[in-house]
């Protein structure tokens, strides 16, 4: 089993309504430290702002978890996110609901990375059920949870039909977000989701679904490329991933000619010369599946 670094893209303060949340001084301070990647300051701010009542306890614990995760303190991050989920889950406040799903999404990502798929399902499924009951099922974090649940179901031997239903639902939610906002963030969240689904299907040797999702991935990239001022390096990286995942799926399905042509398209990308790209090229040449991918927001 290879190690996966799952792609996580999530809005900072997006509520169930999809509107920007509070822009008070506490939020501004936290966002400034977040953008500066000053994780020690994030910890200090979470402590001080919670103490004076400017930051809700659930929100403070989310940020502590986030800061610890970025500082490679994984166990501490998980503890803070679990506390955040417990606190936020008892509240009906919109800010706490936002924190509830953000903490759950981050924790699900970490649990999947560590191979704790049963733990992912036990934590994430009740969160998803509650969000759906409250009609808070449009945010990128909610959609991430659908994907993490699907990835865990694959590993836990849940029926392919049930797993694919979740993946299809996640794709449809991403498409709805794109149609509603037409924002770069919506496109990148959708691309991130399809990256995760595609490479995990390849890893799980589900080659027909892998081919289906790489096709969707490719169509979305073509659509996104038409937007003005797109980052060409970002496009090149995603095209590289799309072509190598597709080549791996085609190769294992016995469609060697198509796989070879797709692999040639992969080699034409700058991404193919990166450390990740060269590892993937070696995997393809040796006929193995050993993928490691990472995409930070």
């Amino acid at each position: 089993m290879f190690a996966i670094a799952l792609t996580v893209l999530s809005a900072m303060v997006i509520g169930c309504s999809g509107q920007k949340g509070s822009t008070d001084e506490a939020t501004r301070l936290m966002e400034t430290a977040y953008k500066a990647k000053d994780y020690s300051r994030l910890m200090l701010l979470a402590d001080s702002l919670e103490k004076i009542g400017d930051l809700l306890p659930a929100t403070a614990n989310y940020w502590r978890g986030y800061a610890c995760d970025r500082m490679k303190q994984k166990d501490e991050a998980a503890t803070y996110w679990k506390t955040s989920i417990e606190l936020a889950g008892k509240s009906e406040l919109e800010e706490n609901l936002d924190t509830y799903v953000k903490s759950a999404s981050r924790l699900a990502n970490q649990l999947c990375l560590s191979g704790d798929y049963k733990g992912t399902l036990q934590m994430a499924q009740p969160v998803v059920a509650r969000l759906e009951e409250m009609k808070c099922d449009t945010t990128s974090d909610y959609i991430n949870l659908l994907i993490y649940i699907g990835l865990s179901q694959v590993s836990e031997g849940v029926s392919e039909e049930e797993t694919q239903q979740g993946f299809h639902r996640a794709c449809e939610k991403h498409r709805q977000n794109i149609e509603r906002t037409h924002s770069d963030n919506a496109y990148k969240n959708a691309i991130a989701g399809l990256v995760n689904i595609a490479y995990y299907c390849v890893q799980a040797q589900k080659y027909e679904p892998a081919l289906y999702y790489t096709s969707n991935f490719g169509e979305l990239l073509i659509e996104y490329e038409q937007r003005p001022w797109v980052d060409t390096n970002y496009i090149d990286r995603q095209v590289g991933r799309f072509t190598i995942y597709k080549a791996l799926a085609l190769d294992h399905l016995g469609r060697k000619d198509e796989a070879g042509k797709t692999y040639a398209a992969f080699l034409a990308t700058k991404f193919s010369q990166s450390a990740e790209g060269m590892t993937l090229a070696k995997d393809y040449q040796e006929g193995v599946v050993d993928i490691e991918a990472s995409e930070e927001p």
Side-chain angles (χ1 to χ4, degrees), residues 2-282:
F2 58 78
I4 8 180
L6 297 179
T7 304
V8 180
L9 287 170
S10 60
M12 290 296 302
V13 283
I14 300 299
C16 296
S17 64
Q19 299 300 312
K20 194 173 185 302
S22 171
T23 55
D24 60 15
E25 182 64 10
T27 301
R28 188 190 67 78
L29 289 169
M30 298 303 290
E31 287 185 347
T32 299
Y34 160 81
K35 291 174 181 177
K37 299 183 179 181
D38 189 342
Y39 306 124
S40 296
R41 179 162 174 75
L42 268 179
M43 291 289 286
L44 290 171
L45 284 170
D47 291 342
S48 60
L49 292 171
E50 180 188 12
K51 187 174 182 179
I52 63 176
D54 283 357
L55 210 60
L56 292 171
T59 307
N61 277 286
Y62 166 78
W63 282 116
R64 291 186 187 106
Y66 180 87
C68 284
D69 182 64
R70 287 299 186 267
M71 292 188 288
K72 310 301 181 185
Q73 300 167 8
K74 301 296 183 180
D75 290 343
E76 293 88 342
T79 298
Y80 283 127
W81 284 328
K82 288 174 184 175
T83 301
S84 176
I85 292 166
E86 182 180 352
L87 292 170
K90 299 174 182 177
S91 172
E92 299 297 324
L93 291 174
E94 182 175 327
E95 184 178 346
N96 270 330
L97 281 173
D98 294 342
T99 302
Y100 182 60
V101 64
K102 286 197 296 183
S103 293
S105 177
R106 293 285 179 183
L107 181 58
N109 174 262
Q110 188 184 100
L111 291 170
C112 277
L113 283 171
S114 67
D116 187 358
Y117 303 113
K118 190 171 293 184
T120 303
L121 294 173
Q122 290 173 345
M123 182 279 296
Q125 287 178 321
V127 174
V128 163
R130 185 183 180 208
L131 292 168
E132 290 172 350
E133 182 181 346
M134 301 187 73
K135 309 299 182 186
C136 292
D137 58 354
T138 60
T139 68
S140 60
D141 288 303
Y142 163 82
I143 302 170
N144 283 339
L145 284 174
L146 291 181
I147 293 172
Y148 298 141
I149 287 170
L151 304 184
S152 299
Q153 287 174 327
V154 170
S155 295
E156 288 297 301
V158 175
S159 73
E160 187 168 330
E161 180 181 359
E162 185 176 348
T163 301
Q164 296 306 319
Q165 283 177 352
F167 285 157
H168 280 298
R169 195 148 132 254
C171 290
E172 181 58 28
K173 289 288 184 181
H174 276 310
R175 175 53 64 184
Q176 289 172 6
N177 282 349
I178 289 172
E179 291 176 355
R180 186 174 65 250
T181 68
H182 297 287
S183 68
D184 264 26
N185 195 52
Y187 273 102
K188 286 186 174 181
N189 277 315
I191 290 167
L194 283 165
V195 166
N196 285 335
I197 295 171
Y199 74 60
Y200 206 88
C201 284
V202 171
Q203 183 274 334
Q205 300 180 20
K206 306 289 186 182
Y207 299 120
E208 288 290 358
L211 199 54
Y212 172 81
Y213 289 113
T214 53
S215 295
N216 279 267
F217 184 11
E219 290 169 7
L220 188 61
L221 281 173
I222 291 170
E223 184 178 326
Y224 182 66
E225 278 186 285
Q226 309 311 309
R227 295 174 63 82
W229 307 298
V230 294
D231 182 343
T232 55
N233 289 327
Y234 171 82
I235 291 294
D236 180 83
R237 184 167 64 248
Q238 304 310 334
V239 169
R241 287 176 175 157
F242 154 65
T243 48
I244 195 62
Y245 300 158
K246 184 176 180 181
L248 281 161
L250 287 166
D251 186 66
H252 283 274
L253 288 169
R255 296 162 63 174
K256 302 295 185 180
D257 288 345
E258 292 174 82
K261 291 176 182 177
T262 305
Y263 180 64
F266 163 74
L267 292 177
T269 66
K270 293 179 182 177
F271 171 79
S272 68
Q273 300 304 310
S274 68
E276 181 186 337
M278 286 188 283
T279 298
L280 291 169
K282 183 179 178 183

